[in-house]
Amino acid sequence: MRITRSAEHLSVAFSVWSLLRLHCVALLCLMSLPVRTDDACPSSCSCARDSGTVTCLPDGGDTDLPADVPTWTSTLILKGRNISTLPQGAFTVNGTELEMTTLSLSYNGIQTIEPYAFLGLSRLHLLDLSHNHLETISSRAFHGLLELRSLFLNYSLSADAATQLSGALSAPGLRNLHRLELAGNQLKFIPMERLDLYNLHALVLINNSMENIGSENISSLYQQRRIRVYLALNPFRCNCELEMFYYWLKNSSQCQDAERVICREPEARRGIPVEKLRGEDVDCMNENLEAVSYVFLGIVLALIGVVFLMVLYLNRGGIKRWLNNIREACRDQMEVYHYRYEQDSDPRLANVAV
């Protein structure tokens, strides 16, 4: 009987030991699996949780956006990752909004920004898209950026993207935009429908292809005194069409680099700061009067010529007689000179005289 009970106890113990082993193995397998939490740092990125900064640099030619950005991220920096397209909700984590306030996407070769690309970033304050190759910008690209204060698009826009940007900037959520930088994009116009629709404090248009900024924009600048504009390194054409801009530059302190706003044309004024020009240099009335004066002078000279020809025509008979009389008088005089010459040259007449 005792032997039977001992065997039963050993059997039960062995079963319990087997179950424990299975549980341990299962636990070890679970622990060995890669577990991803919302607080983990994405691969190929470095994270500084104290400052809330996540920095993702190139890693083996990675072209994807980082997956599962930590929810505590306040600043996300992506650089050199060859991201061609920003799709809808590119920075949304499982459909939840992030607390991100700064997003830097410079030097990523971005070509296309699709609608609602920044969905879920309603608290974003600064967006940097500088030094990319933007060809297409959806009119709803910046939808949802309700608290955006600074937008940087320096050295990024193609001609098509510059045209499309006007529609993208008309998004209602950008009414609180304070700073817009568009330097180095070969812009010939300001890609904004109306400056007074925004709460702009700084507009950077350095190193573009602007010959003028337009009378409507100047009128808006007069009304929006808080705006500070940067316009250096643009090829301004300093003719009378620049008159309104010239007087705004002279009488306003809104242009922060006025001393570097230089004339490119005409040749006679090249290199001269616009604010150093004289009023008559850009006075359309003076240019018009000068043109009219030349035309009037030409008309007067033409009339004088016509009158002179008419006088000649009406007195053609008298002029003909006068010319005949002169010709006869000249011929008589020549005959006298000829007769005297013959006498002086004859030696016989000279001997008689002696």
Side-chain angles (χ1 to χ4, degrees), residues 63-152:
T63 61
D64 295 328
L65 293 167
D68 298 334
V69 177
T71 55
W72 48 260
T73 303
S74 62
T75 299
L76 176 60
I77 301 173
L78 305 180
K79 188 174 183 180
R81 294 176 69 89
N82 297 318
I83 305 167
S84 62
T85 301
L86 291 179
Q88 177 178 340
F91 302 94
T92 302
V93 178
N94 299 325
T96 60
E97 292 191 0
L98 298 176
E99 301 293 328
M100 194 184 305
T101 58
T102 301
L103 176 58
S104 177
L105 299 172
S106 59
Y107 294 99
N108 283 295
I110 300 171
Q111 300 177 13
T112 302
I113 304 178
E114 295 184 351
Y116 309 104
F118 304 101
L119 198 65
L121 301 179
S122 59
R123 294 174 177 80
L124 194 66
H125 289 174
L126 186 150
L127 175 58
D128 188 358
L129 290 162
S130 299
H131 298 280
N132 284 291
H133 307 291
L134 293 172
E135 298 288 343
T136 304
I137 302 177
S138 169
S139 59
R140 297 185 178 182
F142 304 117
H143 184 84
L145 298 177
L146 302 178
E147 296 186 14
L148 190 66
R149 298 292 184 270
S150 301
L151 177 58
F152 302 156

Coordinates of all heavy atoms in Angstrom, one line a residue, residues 63-152:
T63 N 14.6 55.3 -46.2 CA 13.7 56.3 -46.9 C 12.3 56.4 -46.2 O 11.4 57.1 -46.8 CB 13.5 56.0 -48.4 OG1 12.9 54.7 -48.5 CG2 14.9 56.0 -49.1
D64 N 12.1 55.7 -45.1 CA 10.8 55.7 -44.5 C 10.7 56.7 -43.4 O 11.7 57.0 -42.7 CB 10.4 54.3 -44.0 CG 10.3 53.3 -45.1 OD1 9.9 53.7 -46.2 OD2 10.7 52.1 -44.9
L65 N 9.5 57.1 -43.1 CA 9.2 57.9 -41.9 C 9.3 57.0 -40.7 O 9.0 55.8 -40.8 CB 7.8 58.5 -41.9 CG 7.7 59.6 -43.0 CD1 6.2 59.9 -43.2 CD2 8.4 60.9 -42.6
P66 N 9.8 57.5 -39.6 CA 9.9 56.6 -38.4 C 8.6 56.1 -37.9 O 7.6 56.9 -37.9 CB 10.6 57.5 -37.4 CG 10.3 58.9 -37.8 CD 10.2 58.8 -39.3
A67 N 8.5 54.8 -37.6 CA 7.2 54.2 -37.2 C 7.1 54.4 -35.7 O 8.0 54.4 -34.9 CB 7.2 52.8 -37.5
D68 N 5.9 54.7 -35.3 CA 5.5 54.8 -33.8 C 6.4 55.8 -33.1 O 7.2 55.5 -32.2 CB 5.6 53.5 -33.1 CG 4.6 52.5 -33.7 OD1 3.6 52.9 -34.3 OD2 4.9 51.3 -33.7
V69 N 6.3 57.1 -33.5 CA 7.0 58.1 -32.8 C 6.4 58.2 -31.3 O 5.2 58.1 -31.1 CB 6.7 59.5 -33.4 CG1 7.4 60.6 -32.7 CG2 7.3 59.4 -34.9
P70 N 7.3 58.3 -30.3 CA 6.9 58.3 -28.9 C 5.9 59.4 -28.7 O 6.0 60.5 -29.2 CB 8.2 58.5 -28.1 CG 9.2 58.0 -29.0 CD 8.8 58.3 -30.4
T71 N 4.9 59.1 -27.9 CA 3.8 60.1 -27.6 C 4.3 61.3 -26.8 O 3.7 62.4 -26.8 CB 2.7 59.4 -26.8 OG1 3.2 58.8 -25.6 CG2 2.0 58.4 -27.6
W72 N 5.5 61.1 -26.1 CA 6.0 62.3 -25.3 C 6.8 63.2 -26.2 O 7.4 64.2 -25.7 CB 6.9 61.7 -24.2 CG 7.9 60.7 -24.6 CD1 7.7 59.4 -24.4 CD2 9.1 60.9 -25.2 NE1 8.9 58.7 -24.9 CE2 9.7 59.6 -25.4 CE3 9.9 62.0 -25.6 CZ2 11.0 59.4 -26.0 CZ3 11.1 61.8 -26.2 CH2 11.7 60.6 -26.4
T73 N 7.0 63.0 -27.5 CA 7.8 63.8 -28.4 C 7.3 65.2 -28.5 O 6.1 65.4 -28.9 CB 7.9 63.1 -29.8 OG1 8.4 61.8 -29.6 CG2 8.9 63.9 -30.7
S74 N 8.1 66.2 -28.3 CA 7.7 67.6 -28.5 C 8.5 68.1 -29.7 O 8.0 69.0 -30.4 CB 8.0 68.4 -27.3 OG 9.4 68.4 -27.0
T75 N 9.7 67.6 -30.0 CA 10.5 68.0 -31.1 C 10.9 66.8 -31.9 O 11.6 65.9 -31.4 CB 11.7 68.8 -30.7 OG1 11.2 70.0 -30.0 CG2 12.5 69.3 -31.9
L76 N 10.6 66.8 -33.2 CA 11.0 65.7 -34.1 C 11.8 66.2 -35.2 O 11.4 67.1 -35.9 CB 9.8 64.9 -34.6 CG 10.1 63.8 -35.7 CD1 10.9 62.7 -35.0 CD2 8.8 63.2 -36.2
I77 N 13.0 65.7 -35.4 CA 14.0 66.2 -36.4 C 14.3 65.0 -37.3 O 14.9 64.0 -36.9 CB 15.3 66.8 -35.8 CG1 14.9 67.9 -34.8 CG2 16.2 67.2 -36.8 CD1 16.1 68.4 -34.0
L78 N 13.9 65.2 -38.6 CA 14.2 64.2 -39.6 C 15.1 64.9 -40.6 O 14.8 66.0 -41.1 CB 13.0 63.6 -40.3 CG 11.9 63.0 -39.4 CD1 10.8 62.5 -40.3 CD2 12.5 61.9 -38.6
K79 N 16.2 64.3 -41.0 CA 17.2 64.9 -41.9 C 17.9 63.9 -42.8 O 18.4 62.9 -42.2 CB 18.2 65.8 -41.1 CG 19.1 66.6 -42.0 CD 19.9 67.6 -41.1 CE 20.8 68.5 -42.0 NZ 21.6 69.4 -41.1
G80 N 17.9 64.2 -44.1 CA 18.7 63.3 -45.0 C 18.1 61.9 -45.2 O 18.9 61.0 -45.5
R81 N 16.8 61.8 -45.1 CA 16.2 60.4 -45.2 C 15.6 60.1 -46.5 O 15.0 59.1 -46.7 CB 15.2 60.2 -44.1 CG 15.9 60.2 -42.7 CD 14.9 60.1 -41.6 NE 14.2 58.8 -41.5 CZ 14.6 57.7 -40.9 NH1 15.8 57.8 -40.2 NH2 14.0 56.6 -40.8
N82 N 15.7 61.0 -47.5 CA 15.2 60.8 -48.9 C 13.7 60.4 -48.9 O 13.3 59.4 -49.5 CB 16.0 59.7 -49.6 CG 17.5 60.2 -49.8 OD1 17.7 61.3 -50.1 ND2 18.4 59.3 -49.5
I83 N 12.9 61.2 -48.2 CA 11.5 60.9 -48.2 C 10.8 61.7 -49.3 O 10.8 62.9 -49.3 CB 10.9 61.4 -46.8 CG1 11.6 60.8 -45.7 CG2 9.4 61.2 -46.8 CD1 11.3 61.5 -44.3
S84 N 10.3 61.0 -50.3 CA 9.8 61.6 -51.5 C 8.4 62.2 -51.3 O 8.0 63.2 -51.9 CB 9.8 60.7 -52.7 OG 9.0 59.5 -52.4
T85 N 7.6 61.5 -50.5 CA 6.2 61.9 -50.3 C 5.8 61.9 -48.8 O 6.2 61.0 -48.1 CB 5.3 60.9 -51.1 OG1 5.6 60.9 -52.4 CG2 3.8 61.3 -50.9
L86 N 5.1 62.9 -48.4 CA 4.4 62.9 -47.1 C 3.0 62.6 -47.3 O 2.2 63.4 -47.8 CB 4.6 64.3 -46.5 CG 5.9 64.8 -46.1 CD1 5.9 66.2 -45.5 CD2 6.6 63.8 -45.1
P87 N 2.6 61.3 -46.9 CA 1.2 60.9 -47.1 C 0.3 61.4 -46.1 O 0.7 62.1 -45.1 CB 1.3 59.4 -47.0 CG 2.5 59.2 -46.1 CD 3.4 60.3 -46.3
Q88 N -1.0 61.2 -46.2 CA -2.0 61.6 -45.3 C -1.7 61.0 -43.9 O -1.4 59.8 -43.8 CB -3.4 61.2 -45.7 CG -4.5 61.5 -44.7 CD -5.8 61.1 -45.2 OE1 -6.0 61.0 -46.5 NE2 -6.8 61.0 -44.3
G89 N -1.8 61.8 -42.9 CA -1.5 61.3 -41.5 C -0.1 60.7 -41.3 O 0.0 59.7 -40.6
A90 N 0.9 61.4 -41.9 CA 2.2 60.8 -41.9 C 2.8 60.7 -40.5 O 3.7 59.8 -40.2 CB 3.2 61.6 -42.7
F91 N 2.3 61.5 -39.5 CA 2.9 61.5 -38.2 C 1.8 61.1 -37.1 O 2.0 61.4 -35.9 CB 3.5 62.8 -37.9 CG 4.5 63.2 -38.9 CD1 4.2 64.0 -40.0 CD2 5.8 62.8 -38.7 CE1 5.2 64.4 -40.9 CE2 6.8 63.2 -39.7 CZ 6.5 64.0 -40.7
T92 N 0.8 60.4 -37.6 CA -0.2 60.0 -36.6 C 0.2 58.6 -36.0 O 0.6 57.7 -36.8 CB -1.6 59.9 -37.3 OG1 -1.9 61.1 -37.8 CG2 -2.7 59.4 -36.3
V93 N 0.1 58.4 -34.7 CA 0.4 57.2 -34.1 C -0.9 56.5 -33.7 O -1.6 56.9 -32.7 CB 1.3 57.4 -32.8 CG1 1.6 56.1 -32.1 CG2 2.6 58.1 -33.3
N94 N -1.2 55.4 -34.4 CA -2.4 54.7 -34.1 C -3.7 55.6 -34.0 O -4.6 55.4 -33.1 CB -2.3 53.9 -32.7 CG -1.1 52.9 -32.8 OD1 -0.9 52.3 -33.8 ND2 -0.4 52.7 -31.7
G95 N -3.7 56.6 -34.8 CA -4.9 57.4 -34.9 C -5.0 58.4 -33.7 O -6.0 59.2 -33.6
T96 N -3.9 58.5 -32.9 CA -4.0 59.4 -31.7 C -3.1 60.7 -32.1 O -2.2 60.6 -32.8 CB -3.4 58.8 -30.5 OG1 -2.0 58.4 -30.7 CG2 -4.2 57.6 -30.1
E97 N -3.5 61.8 -31.5 CA -2.8 63.1 -31.7 C -1.5 63.1 -30.8 O -1.5 62.6 -29.7 CB -3.7 64.3 -31.4 CG -4.8 64.4 -32.4 CD -5.5 65.8 -32.3 OE1 -5.1 66.6 -31.4 OE2 -6.4 66.0 -33.0
L98 N -0.5 63.7 -31.4 CA 0.8 63.9 -30.6 C 0.8 65.3 -30.0 O 0.2 66.2 -30.5 CB 1.9 63.7 -31.6 CG 2.0 62.3 -32.2 CD1 3.2 62.2 -33.2 CD2 2.2 61.2 -31.2
E99 N 1.7 65.4 -29.0 CA 1.9 66.7 -28.3 C 3.0 67.5 -29.0 O 3.5 68.4 -28.4 CB 2.2 66.4 -26.9 CG 1.2 65.7 -26.1 CD -0.1 66.5 -26.0 OE1 0.0 67.8 -25.9 OE2 -1.2 65.9 -25.9
M100 N 3.4 67.1 -30.2 CA 4.6 67.7 -30.9 C 4.3 69.1 -31.2 O 3.3 69.6 -31.6 CB 4.8 66.9 -32.2 CG 6.1 67.2 -32.9 SD 6.3 66.3 -34.4 CE 5.9 64.7 -34.0
T101 N 5.4 70.0 -30.9 CA 5.3 71.4 -31.2 C 6.3 71.9 -32.2 O 6.1 72.9 -32.8 CB 5.6 72.2 -29.9 OG1 6.9 71.8 -29.4 CG2 4.5 71.9 -28.8
T102 N 7.3 71.0 -32.5 CA 8.3 71.4 -33.5 C 8.6 70.2 -34.4 O 8.9 69.1 -33.9 CB 9.7 71.9 -32.8 OG1 9.4 73.0 -32.0 CG2 10.7 72.2 -33.9
L103 N 8.5 70.4 -35.7 CA 8.8 69.4 -36.7 C 9.7 69.9 -37.7 O 9.4 70.8 -38.5 CB 7.5 68.9 -37.3 CG 7.6 67.8 -38.4 CD1 8.3 66.6 -37.9 CD2 6.2 67.5 -39.0
S104 N 10.9 69.3 -37.8 CA 11.9 69.8 -38.8 C 12.1 68.7 -39.8 O 12.5 67.5 -39.5 CB 13.3 70.0 -38.1 OG 14.3 70.4 -39.1
L105 N 11.8 69.0 -41.1 CA 11.9 68.0 -42.2 C 12.9 68.5 -43.3 O 12.7 68.2 -44.5 CB 10.5 67.8 -42.8 CG 9.5 67.2 -41.8 CD1 8.1 67.2 -42.5 CD2 9.9 65.8 -41.4
S106 N 13.9 69.3 -43.0 CA 14.7 69.9 -44.0 C 15.7 68.8 -44.5 O 16.0 67.8 -43.8 CB 15.5 71.0 -43.4 OG 16.3 70.6 -42.3
Y107 N 16.1 69.0 -45.8 CA 17.1 68.2 -46.4 C 16.6 66.7 -46.5 O 17.4 65.8 -46.3 CB 18.5 68.2 -45.7 CG 19.1 69.6 -45.8 CD1 19.0 70.4 -44.7 CD2 19.9 69.9 -46.9 CE1 19.7 71.7 -44.8 CE2 20.5 71.2 -47.0 CZ 20.4 72.0 -45.9 OH 21.0 73.3 -46.0
N108 N 15.4 66.5 -46.9 CA 14.9 65.1 -47.0 C 14.4 64.8 -48.5 O 13.9 63.7 -48.7 CB 13.7 64.9 -46.1 CG 14.1 64.7 -44.6 OD1 14.8 63.7 -44.3 ND2 13.8 65.7 -43.8
G109 N 14.6 65.7 -49.4 CA 14.3 65.4 -50.8 C 12.8 65.3 -51.0 O 12.3 64.6 -51.9
I110 N 12.0 65.9 -50.2 CA 10.5 65.8 -50.3 C 10.0 66.4 -51.5 O 10.4 67.6 -51.8 CB 9.8 66.4 -49.0 CG1 10.3 65.7 -47.8 CG2 8.3 66.3 -49.2 CD1 9.8 66.4 -46.5
Q111 N 9.2 65.7 -52.3 CA 8.7 66.2 -53.6 C 7.2 66.5 -53.5 O 6.7 67.4 -54.3 CB 9.0 65.2 -54.7 CG 10.5 65.0 -54.9 CD 10.7 64.0 -56.0 OE1 9.9 63.6 -56.8 NE2 12.0 63.5 -56.1
T112 N 6.5 65.7 -52.7 CA 5.0 65.8 -52.7 C 4.5 65.9 -51.3 O 4.9 65.1 -50.4 CB 4.4 64.6 -53.4 OG1 4.9 64.6 -54.8 CG2 2.9 64.7 -53.4
I113 N 3.5 66.8 -51.0 CA 2.8 66.8 -49.8 C 1.4 66.6 -50.1 O 0.7 67.4 -50.7 CB 3.0 68.2 -49.1 CG1 4.5 68.5 -48.9 CG2 2.3 68.2 -47.7 CD1 4.8 69.8 -48.2
E114 N 0.9 65.4 -49.6 CA -0.5 65.1 -49.9 C -1.5 65.7 -48.9 O -1.0 66.3 -47.9 CB -0.6 63.5 -49.8 CG 0.2 62.8 -50.9 CD 0.0 61.3 -50.8 OE1 -0.7 60.8 -49.9 OE2 0.4 60.6 -51.8
P115 N -2.8 65.7 -49.2 CA -3.8 66.3 -48.3 C -3.7 65.7 -46.9 O -3.4 64.5 -46.7 CB -5.1 66.0 -49.0 CG -4.8 65.7 -50.4 CD -3.4 65.1 -50.4
Y116 N -3.9 66.5 -45.9 CA -3.9 66.1 -44.5 C -2.6 65.4 -44.1 O -2.6 64.5 -43.2 CB -5.1 65.2 -44.2 CG -6.4 65.8 -44.7 CD1 -7.0 65.3 -45.9 CD2 -7.0 66.8 -44.0 CE1 -8.2 65.8 -46.3 CE2 -8.2 67.4 -44.5 CZ -8.8 66.9 -45.6 OH -10.0 67.4 -46.1
A117 N -1.5 65.8 -44.6 CA -0.2 65.1 -44.3 C 0.2 65.3 -42.8 O 0.8 64.5 -42.2 CB 0.9 65.6 -45.2
F118 N -0.3 66.4 -42.2 CA 0.1 66.7 -40.9 C -1.1 66.5 -39.9 O -1.1 67.2 -38.8 CB 0.7 68.1 -40.8 CG 1.8 68.4 -41.7 CD1 1.6 69.0 -42.9 CD2 3.1 67.9 -41.4 CE1 2.7 69.2 -43.8 CE2 4.1 68.1 -42.3 CZ 3.9 68.8 -43.5
L119 N -2.0 65.7 -40.3 CA -3.1 65.4 -39.4 C -2.7 64.8 -38.1 O -1.8 64.0 -38.0 CB -4.1 64.4 -40.1 CG -5.5 64.3 -39.6 CD1 -6.2 65.6 -39.9 CD2 -6.2 63.1 -40.3
G120 N -3.3 65.3 -37.0 CA -2.9 64.8 -35.7 C -1.8 65.7 -35.0 O -1.4 65.3 -33.9
L121 N -1.4 66.7 -35.7 CA -0.4 67.6 -35.1 C -1.0 69.0 -34.8 O -0.5 70.0 -35.2 CB 0.8 67.8 -36.1 CG 1.5 66.5 -36.4 CD1 2.7 66.8 -37.4 CD2 2.0 65.8 -35.2
S122 N -2.1 69.0 -34.2 CA -2.9 70.3 -34.0 C -2.2 71.2 -33.0 O -2.5 72.4 -33.0 CB -4.3 69.9 -33.4 OG -4.2 69.2 -32.2
R123 N -1.2 70.7 -32.3 CA -0.4 71.6 -31.4 C 0.9 72.0 -31.9 O 1.7 72.7 -31.2 CB -0.2 70.9 -30.0 CG -1.5 70.6 -29.3 CD -1.2 69.8 -28.0 NE -2.4 69.6 -27.2 CZ -3.4 68.7 -27.5 NH1 -3.2 67.9 -28.6 NH2 -4.5 68.6 -26.8
L124 N 1.2 71.7 -33.2 CA 2.4 72.1 -33.8 C 2.6 73.6 -33.9 O 1.7 74.3 -34.4 CB 2.5 71.4 -35.2 CG 3.9 71.4 -35.8 CD1 4.9 70.5 -35.1 CD2 3.8 71.0 -37.3
H125 N 3.8 74.1 -33.5 CA 4.0 75.5 -33.6 C 5.0 75.9 -34.7 O 4.9 77.0 -35.3 CB 4.6 76.0 -32.2 CG 3.6 76.1 -31.1 ND1 3.9 76.4 -29.8 CD2 2.3 75.9 -31.1 CE1 2.9 76.3 -29.1 NE2 1.8 76.0 -29.9
L126 N 6.0 75.0 -35.0 CA 7.0 75.3 -36.0 C 7.1 74.1 -36.9 O 7.3 72.9 -36.5 CB 8.3 75.6 -35.3 CG 9.5 76.0 -36.2 CD1 10.4 76.9 -35.5 CD2 10.3 74.8 -36.8
L127 N 7.1 74.4 -38.2 CA 7.2 73.4 -39.3 C 8.3 73.9 -40.3 O 8.2 74.9 -40.9 CB 5.9 73.2 -40.0 CG 5.9 72.2 -41.2 CD1 6.4 70.8 -40.8 CD2 4.6 72.1 -41.9
D128 N 9.4 73.1 -40.4 CA 10.5 73.4 -41.3 C 10.6 72.5 -42.4 O 10.9 71.3 -42.3 CB 11.8 73.4 -40.5 CG 13.0 74.0 -41.3 OD1 12.8 74.3 -42.5 OD2 14.1 74.1 -40.7
L129 N 10.3 73.0 -43.6 CA 10.4 72.1 -44.9 C 11.4 72.7 -45.8 O 11.3 72.5 -47.0 CB 9.0 72.1 -45.6 CG 7.9 71.4 -44.9 CD1 6.5 71.8 -45.4 CD2 8.1 69.9 -45.0
S130 N 12.4 73.4 -45.3 CA 13.4 74.0 -46.1 C 14.3 73.0 -46.8 O 14.5 71.8 -46.3 CB 14.3 74.9 -45.3 OG 13.5 76.0 -44.7
H131 N 14.9 73.4 -47.9 CA 15.9 72.6 -48.6 C 15.4 71.2 -49.0 O 16.0 70.2 -48.8 CB 17.2 72.5 -47.8 CG 17.9 73.7 -47.5 ND1 18.7 74.4 -48.4 CD2 17.8 74.5 -46.4 CE1 19.1 75.5 -47.9 NE2 18.6 75.6 -46.7
N132 N 14.2 71.2 -49.6 CA 13.6 70.0 -50.2 C 13.4 70.3 -51.7 O 13.9 71.3 -52.3 CB 12.3 69.7 -49.5 CG 12.6 69.0 -48.2 OD1 13.1 67.9 -48.1 ND2 12.2 69.7 -47.1
H133 N 12.7 69.4 -52.4 CA 12.5 69.6 -53.9 C 11.0 69.5 -54.2 O 10.5 68.6 -54.9 CB 13.2 68.5 -54.6 CG 14.7 68.5 -54.3 ND1 15.6 69.5 -54.6 CD2 15.4 67.6 -53.6 CE1 16.8 69.2 -54.2 NE2 16.7 68.0 -53.6
L134 N 10.2 70.4 -53.6 CA 8.8 70.3 -53.7 C 8.3 70.6 -55.1 O 8.6 71.6 -55.6 CB 8.1 71.3 -52.7 CG 8.3 70.9 -51.2 CD1 7.8 72.0 -50.3 CD2 7.6 69.6 -50.9
E135 N 7.5 69.6 -55.6 CA 6.9 69.8 -56.9 C 5.4 69.9 -56.8 O 4.8 70.6 -57.6 CB 7.3 68.6 -57.8 CG 8.7 68.4 -58.1 CD 9.3 69.4 -59.1 OE1 8.5 70.1 -59.7 OE2 10.5 69.6 -59.1
T136 N 4.8 69.2 -55.8 CA 3.4 69.2 -55.7 C 3.0 69.5 -54.2 O 3.5 68.8 -53.3 CB 2.8 67.9 -56.1 OG1 3.2 67.6 -57.4 CG2 1.2 67.9 -56.0
I137 N 2.1 70.5 -54.0 CA 1.6 70.8 -52.7 C 0.1 70.8 -52.7 O -0.5 71.7 -53.4 CB 2.2 72.1 -52.1 CG1 3.7 72.1 -52.1 CG2 1.6 72.4 -50.7 CD1 4.3 73.5 -51.7
S138 N -0.5 69.9 -52.0 CA -2.0 69.9 -52.0 C -2.6 71.2 -51.4 O -2.0 71.7 -50.5 CB -2.5 68.7 -51.3 OG -3.9 68.7 -51.1
S139 N -3.7 71.6 -51.8 CA -4.4 72.7 -51.2 C -4.8 72.5 -49.8 O -5.0 73.4 -49.0 CB -5.6 73.1 -52.0 OG -6.5 72.1 -52.1
R140 N -4.8 71.2 -49.4 CA -5.1 70.9 -48.0 C -3.9 70.3 -47.3 O -4.1 69.5 -46.3 CB -6.3 69.9 -48.0 CG -7.6 70.4 -48.5 CD -8.7 69.5 -48.4 NE -10.0 70.0 -48.9 CZ -11.2 69.4 -48.8 NH1 -11.2 68.2 -48.3 NH2 -12.2 70.0 -49.3
A141 N -2.7 70.6 -47.8 CA -1.5 70.0 -47.2 C -1.4 70.4 -45.7 O -0.9 69.6 -44.9 CB -0.3 70.5 -48.0
F142 N -1.7 71.7 -45.4 CA -1.5 72.1 -44.0 C -2.8 72.1 -43.2 O -2.9 72.8 -42.2 CB -0.9 73.6 -44.1 CG 0.4 73.7 -44.9 CD1 0.4 74.4 -46.0 CD2 1.5 72.9 -44.5 CE1 1.6 74.5 -46.8 CE2 2.6 73.0 -45.3 CZ 2.7 73.8 -46.4
H143 N -3.8 71.4 -43.6 CA -5.0 71.3 -42.9 C -4.8 70.7 -41.5 O -4.1 69.7 -41.3 CB -6.0 70.4 -43.7 CG -7.4 70.4 -43.0 ND1 -8.3 71.4 -43.3 CD2 -7.9 69.5 -42.2 CE1 -9.4 71.1 -42.6 NE2 -9.2 70.0 -41.9
G144 N -5.4 71.3 -40.5 CA -5.3 70.8 -39.1 C -4.2 71.4 -38.3 O -4.2 71.1 -37.1
L145 N -3.4 72.3 -38.9 CA -2.3 72.9 -38.1 C -2.8 74.2 -37.5 O -2.5 75.3 -37.9 CB -1.1 73.2 -39.0 CG -0.5 72.0 -39.6 CD1 0.7 72.4 -40.6 CD2 0.0 71.0 -38.6
L146 N -3.7 74.0 -36.5 CA -4.4 75.2 -35.9 C -3.6 76.1 -35.1 O -3.9 77.3 -35.0 CB -5.6 74.6 -35.0 CG -6.6 73.7 -35.7 CD1 -7.6 73.2 -34.8 CD2 -7.2 74.4 -36.9
E147 N -2.5 75.6 -34.6 CA -1.6 76.5 -33.7 C -0.3 76.8 -34.4 O 0.7 77.2 -33.7 CB -1.4 75.8 -32.4 CG -2.7 75.7 -31.6 CD -2.5 75.1 -30.2 OE1 -1.3 75.2 -29.7 OE2 -3.4 74.7 -29.5
L148 N -0.1 76.6 -35.7 CA 1.1 76.8 -36.4 C 1.5 78.3 -36.3 O 0.7 79.1 -36.7 CB 1.1 76.3 -37.8 CG 2.4 76.2 -38.5 CD1 3.3 75.2 -37.9 CD2 2.2 75.9 -40.0
R149 N 2.7 78.6 -35.9 CA 3.2 79.9 -35.8 C 4.3 80.2 -36.8 O 4.4 81.3 -37.3 CB 3.7 80.2 -34.4 CG 2.7 80.1 -33.3 CD 1.6 81.2 -33.4 NE 0.7 81.1 -32.2 CZ -0.4 80.4 -32.2 NH1 -0.7 79.7 -33.3 NH2 -1.2 80.3 -31.2
S150 N 5.1 79.2 -37.1 CA 6.3 79.5 -38.0 C 6.3 78.4 -39.1 O 6.2 77.2 -38.8 CB 7.6 79.5 -37.2 OG 7.6 80.5 -36.2
L151 N 6.4 78.8 -40.3 CA 6.5 77.9 -41.5 C 7.7 78.3 -42.3 O 7.8 79.4 -42.8 CB 5.2 78.0 -42.3 CG 5.2 77.1 -43.6 CD1 5.4 75.6 -43.3 CD2 3.8 77.3 -44.3
F152 N 8.6 77.4 -42.5 CA 9.9 77.6 -43.2 C 9.9 76.8 -44.5 O 9.8 75.6 -44.5 CB 11.1 77.3 -42.4 CG 11.2 78.0 -41.1 CD1 12.0 77.5 -40.0 CD2 10.6 79.2 -40.9 CE1 12.1 78.2 -38.8 CE2 10.7 79.9 -39.7 CZ 11.4 79.4 -38.7

